[in-house]
Amino acid sequence: MDVSSHVSMVQSKIAAAAIAAGRSPQEITLCAATKVQSDETIRQAIAAGISVCGENRVQELTAHLAANAYEGAREVHFIGHLQTNKVKQVVGKVDLIQSVDSPHLLQAIHTQADKLDIVQDILFEVNIAGESSKSGCSPELLPQLVQQAAQLPHVRVRGLMAIPPISSAPGANRRYFAQMRQLFIDITQKMSDNQGVMDCLSMGMSADYEDAIAEGATLVRVGTALFGPRPPIGPR
Ligand SMILES: *Cc1c(COP(=O)(O)O)cnc(C)c1O
């Protein structure tokens, strides 16, 4: 698998999708979903132009940080399900936690950020298709989380993230992406000025990032299209 040529290919597809949607390619950030990849593969991706890496698992994040595998990347994000007992290993170690989905987790992140005296950037993860197997808050819970975050000076809400169903057919997720875009607009309007900068709508993966861009994604999380198929992994 030649990571470098895949990075170029995905970057040009992103640019083409942006232009087709009347958007500037600069509006869209490519976040490489690096789960199960080695330090070496991550370094290759960064050398090929990847500037944002997204990690799913705390253990892998910690190991890659210790090995300095992200050197040269502009940002590292946490994109996986985060348990409250592991926030210490993530808060302050990543630029953005994309997967905040409960009042409890939000509070735990704030407590740790307070201890470190930093402001942690976060996204709220929304379970837009209402799948019982998925993490993410319901769209109905979102206003409550936003309200809670407004009281927490050590977190800054940057936007929303969603993982819709694995695409069965081309275009199948467009309606979910459109719903996310509307939710993003609604929530942004509800937020007070001092509450954050709502500049990130994270949606779209290897199978559907072009559709997500057509519907307004500002960040796409791509794994397979950059690194090839992953070996099957157990439940998290
Ligand atoms: C693995 C993963 C991705 C990337 O998935 P691909 O289909 O391999 O592109 C994106 N987002 C999250 C949260 C992931 O866990």
Side-chain angles (χ1 to χ4, degrees):
M1 185 81 186
D2 176 12
V3 172
S4 151
S5 66
H6 285 85
V7 169
S8 310
M9 195 185 66
V10 171
Q11 282 171 336
S12 45
K13 284 189 178 177
I14 288 173
I19 289 163
R23 306 177 62 197
S24 158
Q26 276 81 44
E27 286 174 38
I28 293 123
T29 299
L30 169 58
C31 169
T34 48
K35 61 175 169 275
V36 316
Q37 305 304 331
S38 65
D39 293 333
E40 189 45 38
T41 302
I42 293 173
R43 289 197 185 99
Q44 281 172 15
I46 293 167
I50 289 296
S51 59
V52 179
C53 294
E55 276 310 332
N56 270 75
R57 291 173 173 226
V58 174
Q59 210 179 341
E60 289 180 51
L61 172 73
T62 306
H64 292 316
L65 284 171
N68 231 353
Y70 306 117
E71 191 169 10
R74 193 180 76 230
E75 292 180 11
V76 178
H77 295 181
F78 193 79
I79 62 176
H81 179 65
L82 181 56
Q83 288 166 306
T84 13
N85 62 359
K86 292 192 177 157
V87 295
K88 280 200 181 92
Q89 290 151 269
V90 177
V91 172
K93 314 266 189 205
V94 299
D95 300 282
L96 182 65
I97 301 174
Q98 295 200 9
S99 43
V100 181
D101 63 355
S102 75
H104 189 53
L105 178 58
L106 177 58
Q107 185 58 56
I109 289 170
H110 182 265
T111 302
Q112 180 62 15
D114 188 2
K115 258 186 214 157
L116 299 174
D117 198 22
I118 60 161
V119 175
Q120 177 67 61
D121 280 356
I122 62 165
L123 304 181
F124 289 128
E125 180 181 347
V126 181
N127 185 353
I128 193 65
E131 297 169 277
S132 56
S133 61
K134 290 257 177 82
S135 46
C137 71
S138 68
E140 292 73 31
L141 180 69
L142 199 51
Q144 185 191 319
L145 284 173
V146 167
Q147 222 176 14
Q148 182 187 349
Q151 314 301 320
L152 303 175
H154 292 276
V155 296
R156 182 171 71 150
V157 181
R158 294 271 307 276
L160 304 179
M161 184 268 245
I163 312 174
I166 313 252
S167 306
S168 43
N173 281 336
R174 270 191 84 138
R175 67 192 176 105
Y176 294 122
F177 294 143
Q179 285 171 19
M180 282 301 299
R181 182 205 185 113
Q182 194 53 52
L183 206 52
F184 184 73
I185 292 168
D186 294 346
I187 286 292
T188 304
Q189 280 171 353
K190 280 202 189 104
M191 286 170 67
S192 60
D193 294 341
N194 58 359
Q195 237 182 292
V197 282
M198 293 288 283
D199 62 357
C200 188
L201 180 53
S202 169
M203 57 187 193
M205 317 201 322
S206 292
D208 52 22
Y209 64 89
E210 289 155 298
D211 283 340
I213 290 167
E215 297 293 348
T218 68
L219 182 145
V220 294
R221 308 173 312 267
V222 179
T224 309
L226 296 175
F227 303 115
R230 290 177 294 271
I233 48 170
R236 61 191 180 192

